[in-house]
């Protein structure tokens, strides 16, 4: 971990926490959203854009798209809530993106497990 913790990272962490709480408490009522988890937020340097990454269980591409559509339709509501809770001059535009890093990690883990099993069978 870097010794410097930039303002963009601090703001991103606050936004992640706020959006996660909105989801956890059921404040976003769009049924398309489903069970999503906010994994990280990447802020632009000028703090005007927040890329909010989410993940969800399963590998249904259509459900991921519906969840993203539901989250994007709630952007106005989310920005109003962020404006109330964060002391920022400008509230960032929020963009939601699916975070496939968990899925990617699981795929790598399966591949390594298969290699180990093949290696053990070959002995």
């Amino acid at each position: 971990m870097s010794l410097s913790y930039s303002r963009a990272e601090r703001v991103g962490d606050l936004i992640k926490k706020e959006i996660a709480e909105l989801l956890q408490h059921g404040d976003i009522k769009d049924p398309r959203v489903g069970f999503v988890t906010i994994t990280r937020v990447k802020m632009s340097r000028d703090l005007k854009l927040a890329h909010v990454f989410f993940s969800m269980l399963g590998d249904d591409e259509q459900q991921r798209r519906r969840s993203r559509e539901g989250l994007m339709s709630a952007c106005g509501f989310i920005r109003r809530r962020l404006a109330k809770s964060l002391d920022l001059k400008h509230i960032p535009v929020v963009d939601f993106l699916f975070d496939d890093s968990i899925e990617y990690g699981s795929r790598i883990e399966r591949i390594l497990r298969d290699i180990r099993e093949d290696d053990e069978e070959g002995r």
Side-chain angles (χ1 to χ4, degrees):
M1 182 172 170
S2 170
L3 292 176
S4 64
Y5 186 56
S6 73
R7 183 160 192 249
E9 290 171 321
R10 288 192 307 270
V11 171
D13 286 347
L14 290 171
I15 289 173
K16 177 185 173 195
K17 180 178 180 268
E18 290 296 323
I19 295 174
E21 285 180 8
L22 291 174
L23 290 167
Q24 183 178 10
H25 297 296
D27 295 326
I28 298 174
K29 298 185 183 346
D30 193 316
R32 295 176 291 180
V33 173
F35 297 103
V36 301
T37 301
I38 303 302
T39 57
R40 63 191 167 107
V41 175
K42 181 159 176 46
M43 298 294 301
S44 62
R45 287 183 187 247
D46 62 3
L47 305 180
K48 292 186 179 180
L49 177 62
H51 293 289
V52 180
F53 292 86
F54 71 95
S55 68
M56 54 191 302
L57 292 175
D59 58 357
D60 184 354
E61 184 65 35
Q62 189 175 14
Q63 180 57 43
R64 289 178 191 165
R65 190 172 16 84
R66 283 193 304 263
S67 292
R68 184 177 186 275
E69 289 169 359
L71 290 166
M72 291 301 294
S73 73
C75 280
F77 169 75
I78 291 169
R79 289 187 75 208
R80 284 190 298 277
R81 293 294 291 265
L82 291 174
K84 287 180 183 178
S85 61
L86 303 178
D87 186 25
L88 296 174
K89 186 175 185 178
H90 300 283
I91 299 303
V93 173
V94 178
D95 183 29
F96 287 94
L97 302 165
F98 181 74
D99 185 355
D100 63 353
S101 63
I102 295 171
E103 182 179 301
Y104 179 76
S106 294
R107 188 168 52 243
I108 297 295
E109 187 176 323
R110 277 193 308 275
I111 291 169
L112 292 173
R113 185 178 56 240
D114 290 346
I115 290 171
R116 278 193 303 266
E117 289 173 2
D118 289 347
D119 188 41
E120 289 173 1
E121 288 175 3
R123 288 185 187 187

